Amino acid sequence: QVQLVESGGGLVQAGGSLRLSCAASGSIFSFNAMGWYRQAPGKQREMVASIQSGGSANYVYYADFVKGRFTISRDNAKNTVYLQMNSLKPEDTAVYFCAAAKWSLAEYKHWGQGTQVTVSS
C-alpha cells in the first residue's frame, strides 16, 4: 500500500515562508516523478511544481505563478520531496497535495492526503 505523507503546512503571514515535505512509502520501486499540486476553495486542482529524476540530473518544472518564489527538491534515498515556499502571498492559500508516479505525473499517480497552507494578509 503506497502512502504519501505530507507535513509542513500551516498559517503564515504574507511574505513569510513554509517548507512542505512529502515522504513516500510502501512501494517496491522508487518514484521517478514527484510533484506538488494545490487546490483553493472553489477552484480546480493545479500543478505547482514537479521534479523528475533523469539519471545524474533532475528536471524541474514550476508553474508561472510560483517561479522565483518556490523551490522543489527531493531526497531519493528517503523517497521524499520538498517544497520550499518563500514570499508567500494570500493567493497561495490552498490545500497542497503531494503526488508521485513511477515515470510521469501525466500518467497514473498516487496522492497524499493534503496539507493546508493559509497565508494571511
Side-chain angles (χ1 to χ4, degrees), residues 56-79:
S56 60
N58 289 320
Y59 300 95
V60 298
Y61 161 85
Y62 295 101
D64 286 344
F65 51 79
V66 301
K67 280 183 180 177
R69 300 188 298 124
F70 291 10
T71 303
I72 190 170
S73 61
R74 65 185 295 164
D75 183 333
N76 291 330
K78 297 180 180 179
N79 233 5

Side-chain angles (χ1 to χ4, degrees), residues 17-59:
S17 299
L18 285 173
R19 187 189 192 217
L20 306 183
S21 299
C22 171
S25 63
S27 175
I28 61 173
F29 51 79
S30 60
F31 296 108
N32 284 286
M34 300 186 79
W36 292 93
Y37 294 72
R38 71 184 187 186
Q39 187 167 18
K43 294 188 176 181
Q44 289 190 332
R45 191 172 297 188
E46 58 186 357
M47 176 178 276
V48 175
S50 66
I51 184 164
Q52 180 96 26
S53 293
S56 60
N58 289 320
Y59 300 95

